[in-house]
Amino acid sequence: MAVAWHTFISSKPPLYGVSISAKRFTYQLIADSKEFGINFLPFEAAELVASVGGSKGSEIDKFQRFNIAQSKPVRTAVPILEAAYAAYECRLADDRGYGDHRWLVGEIVAVHWLKEVFTPDEVIDWAKVSPILYLGNELYITTSKDTIRSLDRKVYGRG
Ligand SMILES: Cc1cc2nc3c(=O)[nH]c(=O)nc-3n(C[C@H](O)[C@H](O)[C@H](O)COP(=O)(O)O)c2cc1C
């Protein structure tokens, strides 16, 4: 499925959170298996995001229908997509309801990443990959390297 509501929560231990409605087929898979994968896709994969976010796993096999190539996970059985520039394998650590969604917390137990699209400081290299960002209302956008600014918080924090 496509998920717009997600975030890093903790670095030690490494925890990642996603907000998923209990109505999703994906939620049932996670509740049963107690694990999930997070795949970060480039802007070129926008149609794929709209496709998996517009169809139900209870009705079709999305891997087959959308021709989704997978790489092998190393510590879980979660789907890792070949198209992803980074992906996490997570074990479910918590599952709570907030309003009409569930907040799922996963401990990251394995990381997959294309080293060549990250800088030596492990920051995404904008010249090599454009991440996909969702604005809402079926609109997708990406970053522009013309707008990047390096602002040292230690310097700016002094006022
Ligand atoms: C760009 C995009 C972002 C979405 N974000 C979320 C989200 O954060 N949480 C959620 O529960 N559903 C979200 N959805 C909806 C699910 O991806 C959609 O309901 C999907 O069909 C669920 O698939 P499943 O039934 O196979 O699990 C999003 C859909 C799109 C297109």
Side-chain angles (χ1 to χ4, degrees):
M1 68 177 286
V3 166
W5 298 343
H6 59 95
T7 185
F8 242 100
I9 300 173
S10 158
S11 48
K12 281 184 197 160
L15 299 176
Y16 206 85
V18 280
S19 179
I20 297 184
S21 163
K23 291 182 193 153
R24 315 290 183 231
F25 180 68
T26 304
Y27 175 73
Q28 276 318 315
L29 294 179
I30 298 170
D32 293 346
S33 67
K34 310 275 185 241
E35 50 189 36
F36 60 87
I38 301 282
N39 287 270
F40 297 91
L41 297 175
F43 191 60
E44 298 79 61
E47 287 90 351
L48 177 60
V49 174
S51 302
V52 299
S55 54
K56 296 182 176 177
S58 53
E59 293 172 359
I60 57 162
D61 178 342
K62 300 188 202 184
F63 289 96
Q64 207 172 41
R65 173 75 67 92
F66 305 121
N67 213 4
I68 302 172
Q70 295 189 61
S71 311
K72 275 204 165 50
V74 292
R75 293 196 60 197
T76 63
V78 304
I80 301 299
L81 308 194
E82 256 184 29
Y85 58 85
Y88 300 141
E89 293 179 40
C90 298
R91 290 224 171 91
L92 189 63
D94 200 13
D95 173 357
R96 280 166 209 257
Y98 290 97
D100 58 8
H101 276 57
R102 308 286 305 172
W103 181 243
L104 306 185
V105 177
E107 175 159 10
I108 301 171
V109 294
V111 177
H112 302 250
W113 56 318
L114 290 181
K115 283 210 171 60
E116 61 273 23
V117 305
F118 286 83
T119 67
D121 303 332
E122 301 187 353
V123 173
I124 193 168
D125 186 339
W126 309 109
K128 296 190 180 143
V129 69
S130 306
I132 185 165
L133 305 169
Y134 183 60
L135 290 178
N137 205 24
E138 317 297 341
L139 294 171
Y140 298 83
I141 196 168
T142 189
T143 49
S144 153
K145 54 183 178 300
D146 303 332
T147 59
I148 197 164
R149 295 182 68 192
S150 173
L151 305 173
D152 186 336
R153 68 181 81 175
K154 289 198 207 88
V155 174
Y156 279 82
R158 287 199 288 265

